[in-house]
Amino acid sequence: MNTTNKPTYVIAVTGLNAIDSPGPGISVIRALRDATSFNVRIIGICYETMEPGIYMHDLIDKTYQSPYPSAGVDVLMERFRYINEIENVDFLFPNFDAELFNFIKLEQRFKTELGIKMLLPTSEQFEARHKTELYEFGQKYDIKVPITKSITNASEIAEIAQKIGFPLVVKGKFYDAKIAYNLDQAAQHFQKISAQWGLPILIQQFVHGAEVNVCGVGDGNGELLGAVPMRKLYITDKGKAWSGITIADDELIEMNREMVKSTKWRGPFELEVIKNSNDEFYLIEINPRFPAWCYLTVGAGQNQIESAVNFAMGTKVEPFTTYEVGKMFVRYSYDMIVGIEEFEKISTNGEL
Amino acid sequence: MVLKKNIAVSDNGFLFNPTTGDSYSLNATGIEFLKLLQKGKQNDEIIAEISAEFEIDTITVEKDLNDFKSTLVRLKLAE
């Protein structure tokens, strides 16, 4: 790669947990390493000392441990003030849903006090696309969303089931979703998911069809900078894609374009959509960040991650209009050998 | 029946539906059926060609062709 006449950006990335249910960080970093319009120094941001990305020195130049989101914005600000004094970070990619709330709150302070830019949805967009609000979101923007009710007691399921029928989907507020074929199953799923992820629980109409996901970026002014649809070919027991393939679907792209236009979505997103037998799209979820499979967009000819950085850094970005159909990703596991001294450093110093 | 324009099939019979991401493996007869359908051949032409090439009676070929076409429709590879 020609490294001359190009800016070098220091980019911090979270989500280094490249495990069986992976965070997006490593895919984002690989995309950044593939960028042709800038050079990068990558700063990994981790929570746990066993996040594999910490030890991937060919991808990440330096990693710092970060306080958990529950510690609040002040502690987070102080930690990044420290990191920034050493690294002079240009751009930050938060990649976890749970941390986004804090980073959205801190976006302006990061920019003005630390000089760190981010490309995030607004707090209104972030709140509106929550699973608990998605049905209303769909009604507001004329997007089909399965009927969804938020409940705090399993006794409420029966009344909802009378309206939407079985099967139905029992979902956690943040994670997990299980299909129930009768009331007993629904109650069991309610107990299990609420014990793990808390209340409320969502009861959602089941839509028969094929699930397709779209990875895209909105510019905050209503323009879609890129969108690549993917169909999962193989999923893990947690429902995560282990392989997938890019597909051609102009109507789906148009649906994404309309969503970005009407909401003025800012930043990366992943849309989870069910296409039913009548070729109607039902929006299941909007993830307000790049998905773990986002490197497929690079393989298909849209380095959306590079575009997002360039857009945020004020470089003119041309929206992608094409991508290669039939490009697949196949995920794999890999055992790294790590010296105990590396584990010691990240465990005791909080950086490696 | 009209084949979807964007379906792709390789020489060795690997068929890919770019709209759904599904893929299928065709046997030798299936490859020939699809090639002839893509060329816009009519049923009687296809039956005659396949019958001659594979030395099978026309009634069997006609049945196989109908099965093949209904499978294409069921899999949304044709309308």
Side-chain angles (χ1 to χ4, degrees):
Chain A
M1 190 199 297
N2 176 20
T3 56
T4 56
N5 302 324
K6 288 193 288 190
T8 297
Y9 295 139
V10 180
I11 301 181
V13 181
T14 74
L16 310 183
N17 54 329
I19 56 171
D20 62 338
S21 181
I26 297 303
S27 290
V28 167
I29 291 166
R30 289 183 69 201
L32 292 170
R33 293 274 179 210
D34 281 5
T36 55
S37 56
F38 52 74
N39 303 311
V40 284
R41 174 174 164 78
I42 299 291
I43 305 303
I45 305 294
C46 71
Y47 292 101
E48 305 269 355
T49 54
M50 285 296 180
E51 291 179 31
I54 300 167
Y55 307 99
M56 295 179 173
H57 303 306
D58 54 333
L59 289 176
I60 299 175
D61 296 294
K62 178 88 185 267
T63 298
Y64 294 85
Q65 206 164 7
S66 173
Y68 283 104
S70 56
V73 291
D74 294 335
V75 179
L76 186 62
M77 188 72 197
E78 281 317 300
R79 183 58 175 159
F80 268 86
R81 203 182 293 282
Y82 167 79
I83 295 168
N84 200 48
E85 279 172 9
I86 303 166
E87 302 294 348
N88 197 17
V89 175
D90 295 299
F91 188 88
L92 168 66
F93 267 115
N95 285 310
F96 283 123
D97 295 5
E99 68 188 6
L100 275 177
F101 180 77
N102 284 347
F103 283 116
I104 290 171
K105 269 187 146 179
L106 287 174
E107 188 176 8
Q108 275 310 312
R109 288 185 65 194
F110 264 47
K111 192 175 172 183
T112 54
E113 294 178 33
L114 306 180
I116 300 175
K117 291 178 178 169
M118 292 183 270
L119 189 65
L120 302 174
T122 64
S123 56
E124 291 76 21
Q125 290 168 343
F126 181 73
E127 293 300 329
R129 59 88 239 172
H130 265 304
K131 286 182 191 179
T132 50
E133 313 295 328
L134 196 64
Y135 186 65
E136 286 71 27
F137 178 93
Q139 291 196 313
K140 183 175 176 186
Y141 296 110
D142 200 22
I143 298 169
K144 287 190 176 71
V145 176
I147 296 168
T148 309
K149 299 285 179 191
S150 176
I151 61 170
T152 53
N153 193 309
S155 64
E156 298 173 70
I157 298 172
E159 190 184 340
I160 300 166
Q162 278 194 335
K163 289 178 189 158
I164 64 176
F166 285 101
L168 51 76
V169 186
V170 184
K171 298 177 102 171
K173 186 180 176 185
F174 292 114
Y175 298 103
D176 219 346
K178 292 183 190 300
I179 298 168
Y181 292 89
N182 55 51
L183 206 53
D184 289 342
Q185 266 187 356
Q188 281 171 17
H189 294 333
F190 177 96
Q191 301 303 346
K192 199 170 180 183
I193 296 173
S194 61
Q196 192 170 5
W197 301 111
L199 294 169
I201 291 291
L202 305 172
I203 304 297
Q204 190 171 67
Q205 175 192 11
F206 181 82
V207 179
H208 291 271
E211 183 183 336
V212 284
N213 296 5
V214 182
C215 178
V217 184
D219 74 349
N221 298 312
E223 182 151 34
L224 183 68
L225 297 179
V228 173
M230 178 275 294
R231 161 104 184 271
K232 293 175 185 176
L233 293 177
Y234 184 86
I235 58 169
T236 67
D237 55 357
K238 289 177 182 167
K240 302 295 174 186
W242 201 254
S243 71
I245 190 164
T246 57
I247 56 171
D249 198 320
D250 292 343
E251 287 178 33
L252 183 57
I253 298 290
E254 201 48 44
M255 176 204 176
N256 279 261
R257 196 183 307 286
E258 280 301 313
M259 189 282 286
V260 165
K261 188 179 171 186
S262 54
T263 63
K264 293 193 166 36
W265 187 269
R266 184 169 181 268
F269 63 84
E270 180 195 29
L271 249 58
E272 297 183 10
V273 176
I274 301 281
K275 186 177 186 178
N276 73 8
S277 53
N278 296 324
D279 291 341
E280 295 170 318
F281 296 111
Y282 280 82
L283 179 62
I284 302 297
E285 207 164 310
I286 302 176
N287 293 314
R289 48 159 175 79
F290 280 120
W293 59 273
C294 67
Y295 189 67
L296 180 65
T297 70
V298 182
Q302 292 192 6
N303 193 334
Q304 297 179 4
I305 296 86
E306 180 181 8
S307 274
V309 172
N310 279 328
F311 180 77
M313 299 306 287
T315 308
K316 186 170 170 50
V317 172
E318 287 298 327
F320 290 110
T321 54
T322 60
Y323 60 92
E324 199 173 333
V325 174
K327 273 285 176 190
M328 291 172 60
F329 78 90
V330 182
R331 200 163 276 163
Y332 71 106
S333 302
Y334 185 90
D335 295 353
M336 288 183 290
I337 305 302
V338 177
I340 188 73
E341 64 281 1
E342 296 209 334
F343 180 60
E344 180 193 336
K345 277 184 192 167
I346 189 72
S347 300
T348 55
N349 301 336
E351 50 191 90
L352 177 65
Chain B
M1 186 211 73
V2 181
L3 273 176
K4 287 207 170 167
K5 282 181 185 166
N6 62 352
I7 61 170
V9 61
S10 70
D11 288 343
N12 53 8
F14 184 81
L15 189 154
F16 174 60
N17 183 349
T19 308
T20 63
D22 290 324
S23 53
Y24 310 89
S25 289
L26 300 177
N27 63 15
T29 321
I31 294 170
E32 289 306 313
F33 276 148
L34 198 75
K35 278 183 183 171
L36 295 169
L37 287 167
Q38 283 182 318
K39 283 180 187 170
K41 300 264 185 178
Q42 297 301 307
N43 277 7
D44 51 353
E45 294 175 292
I46 295 172
I47 292 164
E49 281 198 35
I50 297 290
S51 176
E53 187 178 340
F54 291 90
E55 296 179 349
I56 306 168
D57 64 272
T58 54
I59 294 170
T60 304
V61 176
E62 185 176 7
K63 179 182 167 299
D64 287 349
L65 178 60
N66 286 335
D67 283 351
F68 185 73
K69 287 169 78 170
S70 62
T71 304
L72 290 177
V73 171
R74 181 167 50 81
L75 297 176
K76 294 197 166 184
L77 296 164
E79 290 170 333

